[in-house]
Amino acid sequence: MEFSKQTTQQIFPRIKENIVGVSIVGKIENLRIKEEFKEADLLVATHSGIIPISLKLSKSGAFVNTKSAGAKSFIEKYFSYFQDAGFYQKELNQLIERNYYHMGQTLYQMIGLDFKGEFDESWLEEGYSELPGQLPLEMKKIVQKNYQQTISHIYAILEKMSHEREPFARSLLNLIGLGHPDMLQVICFNKKINNGESYELESIYIGDCAEKMQEVGHFEMMPFNPQISSLEIRFPGFQLQIRIKPMNKFTTPSYKINCSVHYGVKHAKS
DNA sequence: TGACTGCCGTTTAGAAATCG
DNA sequence: CGATTTCTAAACGGCAGTCA
């Protein structure tokens, strides 16, 4: 395939040493290795060490999904430079439980039943789905309000931590997909041609920690928009979107935090 | 079994284009 | 012009899998 050939040619110049081996992370069974190299897809071995490579394929102009984290460990895991991370996490988790309970009560009340702390058989027996996309509009609104209240609290935590700019910026590196100091992030942007019949490589973007570190230091928290379930942090050349959503079913109090980056200039809103 | 992760798909608001 | 249609990116959704 033409895509892969061009991508390889872009990657080569970024690797100073001779390549002595390449392996695919998905095929490695050793968990310790997988853990160490985070979101890498490929490991390139050179004489002086291993370079992890994260490959991304994305429509040009679209957000590139860099991380999907679990909400109940998000702060602790990705903002571990902060002493208070554990405390904030606990607080957040309590809020998640409370909001979940409240959402359950509200929804059960709408169908004239009593919420006992979880979505039980009676929910399904009444013919309602566990997937938010299948819900009647009024119920969907309740569910989304829950997401929004939760992301609002996450915003408050991030805002507080962001005053300590250095550790905060370092934490953000993880979220934009550079979880390892030697990581090369390779994003292939493609665009549709002849009416969506086929695709064509538009550009290839390659980033690493060293150059990203500069930009990340200039982060700016965008004002919180209570209408939506995401927040945004802006950098000189790109923006990071942090979104909360259910893992899959909304009927359990566990959510995931999707992080995506958008390159190029989006027109400022203000 | 519930928490977590990666990757990708669908719906929809509102911008842009086109029409009468 | 305002009304209407078209189009796109933002917002929202979900599957398939791992792991403890």
Side-chain angles (χ1 to χ4, degrees):
Chain A
M1 217 172 155
E2 209 48 39
F3 262 49
S4 41
K5 200 181 272 179
Q6 292 189 52
T7 307
T8 326
Q9 284 170 3
Q10 296 269 332
I11 295 176
F12 277 142
R14 302 285 298 233
I15 297 175
K16 309 292 180 236
E17 313 282 329
N18 285 331
I19 295 172
V20 298
V22 176
S23 48
I24 300 168
V25 173
K27 303 215 168 186
I28 296 173
E29 67 306 320
N30 187 330
L31 293 176
R32 249 212 59 256
I33 306 263
K34 282 193 187 180
E35 170 77 17
E36 178 180 355
F37 293 105
K38 309 283 172 77
E39 62 270 41
D41 298 298
L42 297 176
L43 297 182
V44 172
T46 71
H47 292 297
S48 49
I50 291 172
I51 300 172
I53 295 182
S54 166
L55 288 173
K56 301 282 180 195
L57 180 62
S58 181
K59 276 186 277 187
S60 54
F63 277 90
V64 181
N65 195 169
T66 48
K67 277 285 168 201
S68 320
K72 284 184 168 167
S73 61
F74 178 66
I75 305 289
E76 233 170 7
K77 185 162 185 184
Y78 293 95
F79 295 88
S80 55
Y81 296 109
F82 291 86
Q83 293 252 304
D84 295 341
F87 171 76
Y88 286 138
Q89 185 70 62
K90 263 197 194 122
E91 219 181 41
L92 174 62
N93 293 359
Q94 282 171 14
L95 180 114
I96 286 174
E97 297 295 333
R98 276 206 308 276
N99 283 350
Y100 170 78
Y101 191 80
H102 184 251
M103 175 184 75
Q105 277 187 323
T106 310
L107 290 175
Y108 265 62
Q109 199 174 15
M110 288 170 81
I111 61 172
L113 291 179
D114 199 25
F115 186 69
K116 308 232 174 49
E118 59 176 19
F119 286 80
D120 51 18
E121 314 74 49
S122 60
W123 179 256
L124 296 170
E125 279 162 12
E126 293 293 320
Y128 293 102
S129 174
E130 298 187 273
L131 299 175
Q134 317 275 318
L135 247 35
L137 184 63
E138 288 309 307
M139 290 185 164
K140 200 188 274 198
K141 279 184 183 163
I142 303 293
V143 174
Q144 289 178 354
K145 201 165 88 193
N146 182 28
Y147 304 157
Q148 283 151 12
Q149 284 171 355
T150 310
I151 192 73
S152 150
H153 190 253
I154 291 174
Y155 183 89
I157 294 174
L158 296 188
E159 207 281 323
K160 238 183 250 175
M161 292 194 296
S162 71
H163 293 136
E164 291 179 56
R165 293 191 68 91
E166 290 76 16
F168 192 72
R170 294 175 70 84
S171 303
L172 293 179
L173 267 186
N174 291 310
L175 301 186
I176 64 171
L178 294 170
H180 188 283
D182 299 324
M183 179 87 70
L184 276 188
Q185 184 183 56
V186 181
I187 306 174
C188 303
F189 289 108
N190 61 278
K191 65 174 183 214
K192 282 183 184 169
I193 52 172
N194 45 50
N195 299 320
E197 281 300 307
S198 50
Y199 292 89
E200 150 181 294
L201 187 61
E202 202 230 30
S203 60
I204 297 178
Y205 170 89
I206 303 187
D208 62 38
C209 280
E211 59 187 49
K212 267 292 168 334
M213 193 62 104
Q214 307 290 328
E215 290 191 78
V216 163
H218 291 99
F219 73 84
E220 182 191 357
M221 298 274 298
M222 291 293 107
F224 182 66
N225 177 354
Q227 309 300 315
I228 58 179
S229 50
S230 61
L231 63 89
E232 196 173 299
I233 300 175
R234 203 163 287 192
F235 306 92
F238 62 100
Q239 42 275 126
L240 167 67
Q241 184 193 67
I242 298 177
R243 169 162 77 110
I244 190 164
K245 63 178 188 170
M247 297 279 177
N248 178 301
K249 297 173 179 177
F250 74 91
T251 48
T252 94
S254 58
Y255 311 99
K256 69 170 147 187
I257 310 282
N258 260 189
C259 302
S260 325
V261 292
H262 188 287
Y263 291 88
V265 196
K266 278 199 313 184
H267 57 284
K269 216 175 178 185
S270 56

Tab-separated table of all heavy atoms in Angstrom, chain A residues 85-124:
chain	number	residue	atom	x	y	z
A	85	ALA	N	-3.125	14.703	43.839
A	85	ALA	CA	-3.834	13.933	42.804
A	85	ALA	C	-4.765	12.889	43.427
A	85	ALA	O	-5.913	12.753	43.002
A	85	ALA	CB	-2.839	13.274	41.862
A	86	GLY	N	-4.249	12.169	44.410
A	86	GLY	CA	-5.047	11.137	45.048
A	86	GLY	C	-6.290	11.697	45.705
A	86	GLY	O	-7.379	11.134	45.610
A	87	PHE	N	-6.102	12.829	46.344
A	87	PHE	CA	-7.223	13.485	47.020
A	87	PHE	C	-8.281	13.938	46.020
A	87	PHE	O	-9.472	13.671	46.190
A	87	PHE	CB	-6.702	14.684	47.820
A	87	PHE	CG	-7.780	15.556	48.368
A	87	PHE	CD1	-8.520	15.166	49.488
A	87	PHE	CD2	-8.077	16.766	47.753
A	87	PHE	CE1	-9.520	15.968	49.979
A	87	PHE	CE2	-9.083	17.582	48.245
A	87	PHE	CZ	-9.808	17.180	49.354
A	88	TYR	N	-7.822	14.595	44.968
A	88	TYR	CA	-8.759	15.059	43.934
A	88	TYR	C	-9.509	13.884	43.323
A	88	TYR	O	-10.702	13.960	43.039
A	88	TYR	CB	-8.004	15.796	42.821
A	88	TYR	CG	-7.522	17.158	43.209
A	88	TYR	CD1	-6.248	17.591	42.845
A	88	TYR	CD2	-8.335	18.032	43.924
A	88	TYR	CE1	-5.794	18.855	43.191
A	88	TYR	CE2	-7.889	19.299	44.271
A	88	TYR	CZ	-6.615	19.702	43.904
A	88	TYR	OH	-6.177	20.950	44.240
A	89	GLN	N	-8.762	12.792	43.112
A	89	GLN	CA	-9.381	11.623	42.512
A	89	GLN	C	-10.502	11.079	43.398
A	89	GLN	O	-11.586	10.764	42.921
A	89	GLN	CB	-8.328	10.536	42.286
A	89	GLN	CG	-8.862	9.322	41.546
A	89	GLN	CD	-9.160	9.630	40.090
A	89	GLN	OE1	-8.272	9.974	39.332
A	89	GLN	NE2	-10.426	9.541	39.707
A	90	LYS	N	-10.213	10.997	44.672
A	90	LYS	CA	-11.212	10.479	45.621
A	90	LYS	C	-12.461	11.345	45.597
A	90	LYS	O	-13.579	10.848	45.550
A	90	LYS	CB	-10.632	10.453	47.037
A	90	LYS	CG	-10.092	9.098	47.430
A	90	LYS	CD	-9.920	8.998	48.953
A	90	LYS	CE	-9.059	7.794	49.320
A	90	LYS	NZ	-7.860	8.152	50.083
A	91	GLU	N	-12.206	12.631	45.623
A	91	GLU	CA	-13.305	13.594	45.611
A	91	GLU	C	-14.144	13.421	44.353
A	91	GLU	O	-15.376	13.395	44.387
A	91	GLU	CB	-12.704	15.002	45.643
A	91	GLU	CG	-13.453	15.979	46.492
A	91	GLU	CD	-12.780	17.343	46.440
A	91	GLU	OE1	-12.334	17.776	45.359
A	91	GLU	OE2	-12.702	17.965	47.500
A	92	LEU	N	-13.437	13.298	43.231
A	92	LEU	CA	-14.116	13.114	41.946
A	92	LEU	C	-14.941	11.829	41.941
A	92	LEU	O	-16.091	11.812	41.494
A	92	LEU	CB	-13.084	13.084	40.810
A	92	LEU	CG	-13.607	12.747	39.418
A	92	LEU	CD1	-14.626	13.779	38.953
A	92	LEU	CD2	-12.453	12.668	38.417
A	93	ASN	N	-14.345	10.764	42.457
A	93	ASN	CA	-15.053	9.486	42.455
A	93	ASN	C	-16.317	9.531	43.309
A	93	ASN	O	-17.340	8.951	42.953
A	93	ASN	CB	-14.120	8.373	42.932
A	93	ASN	CG	-12.989	8.122	41.952
A	93	ASN	OD1	-12.920	8.766	40.907
A	93	ASN	ND2	-12.101	7.210	42.287
A	94	GLN	N	-16.237	10.247	44.408
A	94	GLN	CA	-17.428	10.400	45.249
A	94	GLN	C	-18.516	11.151	44.501
A	94	GLN	O	-19.684	10.787	44.524
A	94	GLN	CB	-17.077	11.146	46.534
A	94	GLN	CG	-16.386	10.259	47.565
A	94	GLN	CD	-15.842	11.040	48.737
A	94	GLN	OE1	-16.192	12.212	48.917
A	94	GLN	NE2	-14.993	10.409	49.541
A	95	LEU	N	-18.067	12.191	43.797
A	95	LEU	CA	-19.022	12.977	43.031
A	95	LEU	C	-19.665	12.142	41.923
A	95	LEU	O	-20.851	12.251	41.646
A	95	LEU	CB	-18.314	14.196	42.422
A	95	LEU	CG	-19.239	15.079	41.606
A	95	LEU	CD1	-19.391	16.435	42.261
A	95	LEU	CD2	-18.756	15.239	40.184
A	96	ILE	N	-18.851	11.289	41.305
A	96	ILE	CA	-19.371	10.411	40.254
A	96	ILE	C	-20.471	9.515	40.823
A	96	ILE	O	-21.546	9.376	40.235
A	96	ILE	CB	-18.227	9.557	39.643
A	96	ILE	CG1	-17.345	10.430	38.749
A	96	ILE	CG2	-18.792	8.374	38.861
A	96	ILE	CD1	-16.112	9.731	38.206
A	97	GLU	N	-20.187	8.946	41.986
A	97	GLU	CA	-21.182	8.069	42.613
A	97	GLU	C	-22.470	8.839	42.952
A	97	GLU	O	-23.563	8.361	42.702
A	97	GLU	CB	-20.612	7.440	43.889
A	97	GLU	CG	-19.406	6.523	43.659
A	97	GLU	CD	-19.746	5.266	42.847
A	97	GLU	OE1	-20.906	4.831	42.879
A	97	GLU	OE2	-18.831	4.749	42.167
A	98	ARG	N	-22.277	10.012	43.528
A	98	ARG	CA	-23.447	10.819	43.903
A	98	ARG	C	-24.281	11.188	42.687
A	98	ARG	O	-25.501	11.039	42.682
A	98	ARG	CB	-22.996	12.108	44.609
A	98	ARG	CG	-22.733	11.962	46.088
A	98	ARG	CD	-22.933	13.294	46.819
A	98	ARG	NE	-22.201	14.411	46.229
A	98	ARG	CZ	-20.923	14.679	46.492
A	98	ARG	NH1	-20.246	13.916	47.324
A	98	ARG	NH2	-20.327	15.700	45.916
A	99	ASN	N	-23.607	11.674	41.647
A	99	ASN	CA	-24.325	12.076	40.436
A	99	ASN	C	-25.029	10.893	39.791
A	99	ASN	O	-26.130	11.021	39.256
A	99	ASN	CB	-23.361	12.702	39.423
A	99	ASN	CG	-22.984	14.123	39.791
A	99	ASN	OD1	-23.575	14.711	40.697
A	99	ASN	ND2	-22.003	14.675	39.096
A	100	TYR	N	-24.363	9.760	39.837
A	100	TYR	CA	-24.945	8.548	39.262
A	100	TYR	C	-26.240	8.191	39.989
A	100	TYR	O	-27.253	7.879	39.370
A	100	TYR	CB	-23.937	7.410	39.378
A	100	TYR	CG	-24.501	6.048	39.041
A	100	TYR	CD1	-24.681	5.653	37.720
A	100	TYR	CD2	-24.832	5.143	40.056
A	100	TYR	CE1	-25.181	4.400	37.419
A	100	TYR	CE2	-25.335	3.891	39.761
A	100	TYR	CZ	-25.511	3.522	38.442
A	100	TYR	OH	-26.009	2.287	38.144
A	101	TYR	N	-26.158	8.271	41.292
A	101	TYR	CA	-27.338	7.937	42.093
A	101	TYR	C	-28.485	8.890	41.787
A	101	TYR	O	-29.639	8.479	41.631
A	101	TYR	CB	-26.988	7.985	43.589
A	101	TYR	CG	-28.066	7.400	44.462
A	101	TYR	CD1	-28.177	6.020	44.607
A	101	TYR	CD2	-28.985	8.217	45.116
A	101	TYR	CE1	-29.181	5.463	45.385
A	101	TYR	CE2	-30.002	7.672	45.905
A	101	TYR	CZ	-30.084	6.299	46.032
A	101	TYR	OH	-31.085	5.748	46.795
A	102	HIS	N	-28.121	10.139	41.694
A	102	HIS	CA	-29.138	11.147	41.398
A	102	HIS	C	-29.763	10.925	40.031
A	102	HIS	O	-30.976	11.019	39.857
A	102	HIS	CB	-28.528	12.544	41.489
A	102	HIS	CG	-29.529	13.632	41.300
A	102	HIS	ND1	-29.553	14.424	40.166
A	102	HIS	CD2	-30.570	14.040	42.072
A	102	HIS	CE1	-30.562	15.272	40.262
A	102	HIS	NE2	-31.185	15.072	41.397
A	103	MET	N	-28.907	10.591	39.059
A	103	MET	CA	-29.411	10.318	37.712
A	103	MET	C	-30.358	9.123	37.749
A	103	MET	O	-31.433	9.145	37.135
A	103	MET	CB	-28.246	10.046	36.760
A	103	MET	CG	-28.668	9.625	35.364
A	103	MET	SD	-27.271	9.198	34.300
A	103	MET	CE	-26.815	7.579	34.952
A	104	GLY	N	-29.946	8.085	38.467
A	104	GLY	CA	-30.778	6.895	38.573
A	104	GLY	C	-32.141	7.211	39.171
A	104	GLY	O	-33.175	6.793	38.648
A	105	GLN	N	-32.105	7.973	40.239
A	105	GLN	CA	-33.362	8.349	40.891
A	105	GLN	C	-34.277	9.089	39.931
A	105	GLN	O	-35.470	8.788	39.816
A	105	GLN	CB	-33.071	9.238	42.093
A	105	GLN	CG	-32.698	8.475	43.349
A	105	GLN	CD	-32.588	9.400	44.546
A	105	GLN	OE1	-32.119	10.534	44.421
A	105	GLN	NE2	-33.008	8.915	45.699
A	106	THR	N	-33.690	10.057	39.236
A	106	THR	CA	-34.490	10.864	38.306
A	106	THR	C	-35.107	10.005	37.215
A	106	THR	O	-36.290	10.122	36.902
A	106	THR	CB	-33.619	11.962	37.678
A	106	THR	OG1	-32.922	12.651	38.714
A	106	THR	CG2	-34.466	12.949	36.887
A	107	LEU	N	-34.292	9.119	36.642
A	107	LEU	CA	-34.780	8.300	35.532
A	107	LEU	C	-35.846	7.296	36.002
A	107	LEU	O	-36.853	7.096	35.320
A	107	LEU	CB	-33.619	7.566	34.859
A	107	LEU	CG	-32.666	8.455	34.064
A	107	LEU	CD1	-31.484	7.652	33.532
A	107	LEU	CD2	-33.391	9.123	32.890
A	108	TYR	N	-35.614	6.711	37.159
A	108	TYR	CA	-36.590	5.758	37.678
A	108	TYR	C	-37.906	6.462	38.021
A	108	TYR	O	-38.983	5.922	37.818
A	108	TYR	CB	-36.025	5.017	38.894
A	108	TYR	CG	-35.401	3.686	38.540
A	108	TYR	CD1	-34.303	3.631	37.678
A	108	TYR	CD2	-35.904	2.490	39.045
A	108	TYR	CE1	-33.727	2.417	37.342
A	108	TYR	CE2	-35.331	1.266	38.710
A	108	TYR	CZ	-34.237	1.233	37.861
A	108	TYR	OH	-33.684	0.024	37.524
A	109	GLN	N	-37.751	7.655	38.518
A	109	GLN	CA	-38.933	8.442	38.852
A	109	GLN	C	-39.771	8.688	37.595
A	109	GLN	O	-41.005	8.650	37.642
A	109	GLN	CB	-38.483	9.773	39.446
A	109	GLN	CG	-39.567	10.482	40.243
A	109	GLN	CD	-39.019	11.723	40.936
A	109	GLN	OE1	-37.933	12.204	40.605
A	109	GLN	NE2	-39.767	12.262	41.873
A	110	MET	N	-39.078	8.881	36.472
A	110	MET	CA	-39.791	9.154	35.220
A	110	MET	C	-40.650	7.977	34.783
A	110	MET	O	-41.629	8.149	34.062
A	110	MET	CB	-38.786	9.506	34.104
A	110	MET	CG	-38.152	10.884	34.284
A	110	MET	SD	-36.768	11.184	33.158
A	110	MET	CE	-37.629	11.648	31.667
A	111	ILE	N	-40.262	6.768	35.211
A	111	ILE	CA	-41.074	5.613	34.815
A	111	ILE	C	-41.854	5.063	36.000
A	111	ILE	O	-42.373	3.943	35.960
A	111	ILE	CB	-40.202	4.505	34.170
A	111	ILE	CG1	-39.132	3.979	35.151
A	111	ILE	CG2	-39.522	5.030	32.918
A	111	ILE	CD1	-38.377	2.769	34.620
A	112	GLY	N	-41.901	5.862	37.072
A	112	GLY	CA	-42.723	5.495	38.207
A	112	GLY	C	-42.195	4.343	39.038
A	112	GLY	O	-42.954	3.630	39.684
A	113	LEU	N	-40.878	4.153	39.033
A	113	LEU	CA	-40.292	3.086	39.845
A	113	LEU	C	-39.311	3.685	40.852
A	113	LEU	O	-38.974	4.863	40.796
A	113	LEU	CB	-39.579	2.065	38.957
A	113	LEU	CG	-40.470	1.199	38.064
A	113	LEU	CD1	-39.620	0.262	37.221
A	113	LEU	CD2	-41.477	0.394	38.901
A	114	ASP	N	-38.866	2.804	41.746
A	114	ASP	CA	-37.981	3.247	42.809
A	114	ASP	C	-36.550	2.794	42.513
A	114	ASP	O	-36.304	1.612	42.278
A	114	ASP	CB	-38.474	2.626	44.125
A	114	ASP	CG	-37.917	3.378	45.319
A	114	ASP	OD1	-37.590	4.577	45.146
A	114	ASP	OD2	-37.797	2.761	46.393
A	115	PHE	N	-35.626	3.739	42.511
A	115	PHE	CA	-34.219	3.414	42.238
A	115	PHE	C	-33.546	2.918	43.505
A	115	PHE	O	-33.530	3.596	44.522
A	115	PHE	CB	-33.504	4.653	41.705
A	115	PHE	CG	-32.096	4.390	41.259
A	115	PHE	CD1	-31.833	3.611	40.127
A	115	PHE	CD2	-31.020	4.944	41.943
A	115	PHE	CE1	-30.536	3.376	39.695
A	115	PHE	CE2	-29.709	4.713	41.520
A	115	PHE	CZ	-29.475	3.933	40.401
A	116	LYS	N	-32.964	1.701	43.418
A	116	LYS	CA	-32.367	1.110	44.624
A	116	LYS	C	-30.853	1.136	44.593
A	116	LYS	O	-30.197	0.350	45.262
A	116	LYS	CB	-32.866	-0.332	44.760
A	116	LYS	CG	-34.381	-0.466	44.700
A	116	LYS	CD	-34.907	-1.258	45.876
A	116	LYS	CE	-36.439	-1.274	45.898
A	116	LYS	NZ	-37.050	-1.634	44.602
A	117	GLY	N	-30.292	2.013	43.769
A	117	GLY	CA	-28.835	2.122	43.739
A	117	GLY	C	-28.205	1.570	42.473
A	117	GLY	O	-27.032	1.790	42.214
A	118	GLU	N	-28.988	0.861	41.699
A	118	GLU	CA	-28.460	0.363	40.421
A	118	GLU	C	-29.602	0.146	39.428
A	118	GLU	O	-30.763	0.049	39.820
A	118	GLU	CB	-27.696	-0.947	40.642
A	118	GLU	CG	-28.579	-2.032	41.254
A	118	GLU	CD	-27.878	-3.377	41.388
A	118	GLU	OE1	-26.629	-3.388	41.358
A	118	GLU	OE2	-28.585	-4.380	41.500
A	119	PHE	N	-29.228	0.070	38.171
A	119	PHE	CA	-30.221	-0.204	37.138
A	119	PHE	C	-30.435	-1.715	37.099
A	119	PHE	O	-29.589	-2.462	36.619
A	119	PHE	CB	-29.738	0.322	35.788
A	119	PHE	CG	-29.810	1.822	35.685
A	119	PHE	CD1	-28.809	2.602	36.262
A	119	PHE	CD2	-30.865	2.455	35.048
A	119	PHE	CE1	-28.878	3.995	36.194
A	119	PHE	CE2	-30.938	3.844	34.972
A	119	PHE	CZ	-29.938	4.608	35.545
A	120	ASP	N	-31.557	-2.152	37.627
A	120	ASP	CA	-31.818	-3.593	37.722
A	120	ASP	C	-32.714	-4.084	36.591
A	120	ASP	O	-32.963	-3.382	35.627
A	120	ASP	CB	-32.426	-3.919	39.095
A	120	ASP	CG	-33.620	-3.024	39.422
A	120	ASP	OD1	-34.159	-2.417	38.482
A	120	ASP	OD2	-34.011	-2.950	40.596
A	121	GLU	N	-33.205	-5.306	36.739
A	121	GLU	CA	-34.021	-5.930	35.684
A	121	GLU	C	-35.234	-5.076	35.318
A	121	GLU	O	-35.653	-5.053	34.162
A	121	GLU	CB	-34.527	-7.316	36.115
A	121	GLU	CG	-33.501	-8.236	36.752
A	121	GLU	CD	-33.167	-7.807	38.182
A	121	GLU	OE1	-34.104	-7.568	38.965
A	121	GLU	OE2	-31.963	-7.674	38.503
A	122	SER	N	-35.789	-4.401	36.369
A	122	SER	CA	-37.014	-3.656	36.097
A	122	SER	C	-36.814	-2.601	35.016
A	122	SER	O	-37.720	-2.290	34.256
A	122	SER	CB	-37.531	-3.003	37.386
A	122	SER	OG	-36.576	-2.105	37.909
A	123	TRP	N	-35.601	-2.078	34.931
A	123	TRP	CA	-35.305	-1.081	33.900
A	123	TRP	C	-35.465	-1.708	32.521
A	123	TRP	O	-36.104	-1.143	31.629
A	123	TRP	CB	-33.880	-0.533	34.083
A	123	TRP	CG	-33.488	0.482	33.056
A	123	TRP	CD1	-32.664	0.279	31.983
A	123	TRP	CD2	-33.896	1.860	32.990
A	123	TRP	NE1	-32.540	1.437	31.258
A	123	TRP	CE2	-33.288	2.421	31.854
A	123	TRP	CE3	-34.724	2.664	33.790
A	123	TRP	CZ2	-33.468	3.759	31.485
A	123	TRP	CZ3	-34.905	3.990	33.425
A	123	TRP	CH2	-34.288	4.524	32.281
A	124	LEU	N	-34.889	-2.876	32.355
A	124	LEU	CA	-34.958	-3.560	31.066
A	124	LEU	C	-36.366	-4.074	30.800
A	124	LEU	O	-36.848	-4.042	29.671
A	124	LEU	CB	-33.950	-4.713	31.028
A	124	LEU	CG	-32.477	-4.273	31.120
A	124	LEU	CD1	-31.551	-5.469	31.324
A	124	LEU	CD2	-32.067	-3.500	29.876
